[in-house]
Amino acid sequence: LSGIAAMAMAVLWKVLFALWFEGNAVSEAVIGTLEEKPKAEPFTRNVLILMALVMIAIVLQGTLRDGVSNWMPTFVCESFGLDSSSAILTGVLLPIFQILCSQAAAWLFRKFSSHEAFTSGVIFAAGTVAAVLVSLVMQRSVLLTALFMAALAGCMHGVNFVLIGMVPRQFRRFGRV
């Protein structure tokens, strides 16, 4: 059902977009600029390998981020014997750390002059430290466990920001972005 709705939306968008440009005086100028693409550099084997590594990193950090985000309330509930409402309340920490870590990722990215690999590596290392700390305190303190799990998920949001938001700019010269 959702696939049918998406297809209908795509067709409607295509038709309305074409009608709007057809009656618009600017349409020929816009279409002309779209057709004048800069000459793209050819893809090399190294670029394809780099793209594959970036895609693998995106999948891994996404899996880790979503896994921790979805699993944290259940883990806290089962490990510490909290009732469901209290365990779900620990999920309030997640957005706070996500915002903080995304801001930290943007700051790191600006500070290190757009070195995406270094920036995402530093944030991933911080997430690794948070994961190790979770393993050290997970049976001792509900607050520390929730804080470190939220920090881990937040770090993965920061990595996501860099890999999905900043890395594609590097492929602009290949005409693929």
Side-chain angles (χ1 to χ4, degrees):
L1 183 61
S2 61
I4 293 170
M7 290 296 289
M9 190 187 258
V11 168
L12 183 67
W13 174 256
K14 175 98 171 126
V15 169
L16 291 176
F17 187 75
L19 289 174
W20 183 78
F21 269 121
E22 190 174 297
N24 193 341
V26 182
S27 64
E28 287 187 29
V30 170
I31 292 171
T33 58
L34 291 176
E35 291 173 356
E36 298 171 10
K37 293 182 180 177
K39 186 174 179 179
E41 295 179 26
F43 264 5
T44 62
R45 190 175 74 159
N46 292 342
V47 173
L48 291 175
I49 291 170
L50 176 64
M51 284 180 62
L53 291 173
V54 167
M55 287 188 267
I56 290 169
I58 289 170
V59 168
L60 291 176
Q61 66 80 25
T63 302
L64 184 59
R65 179 196 67 215
D66 294 342
V68 169
S69 298
N70 293 330
W71 177 58
M72 187 174 85
T74 304
F75 176 77
V76 168
C77 179
E78 290 178 4
S79 295
F80 296 99
L82 296 176
D83 60 340
S84 297
S85 59
S86 297
I88 290 172
L89 195 59
T90 61
V92 171
L93 294 172
L94 291 170
I96 294 168
F97 276 87
Q98 291 165 0
I99 291 168
L100 291 173
C101 289
S102 291
Q103 292 298 320
W107 178 80
L108 279 171
F109 184 74
R110 285 189 304 271
K111 181 160 177 61
F112 294 110
S113 304
S114 305
H115 287 95
E116 295 90 354
F118 179 77
T119 303
S120 58
V122 167
I123 299 167
F124 217 106
T128 302
V129 169
V132 168
L133 291 172
V134 165
S135 71
L136 294 175
V137 300
M138 73 177 158
Q139 296 299 325
R140 296 184 184 107
S141 170
V142 65
L143 179 62
L144 290 177
T145 300
L147 283 173
F148 292 139
M149 289 179 93
L152 173 59
C155 287
M156 294 306 107
H157 273 282
V159 171
N160 184 58
F161 167 74
V162 173
L163 293 179
I164 292 179
M166 303 300 163
V167 168
R169 297 181 318 153
Q170 298 298 327
F171 295 101
R172 185 180 310 151
R173 67 180 184 259
F174 300 105
R176 305 286 188 215
V177 177

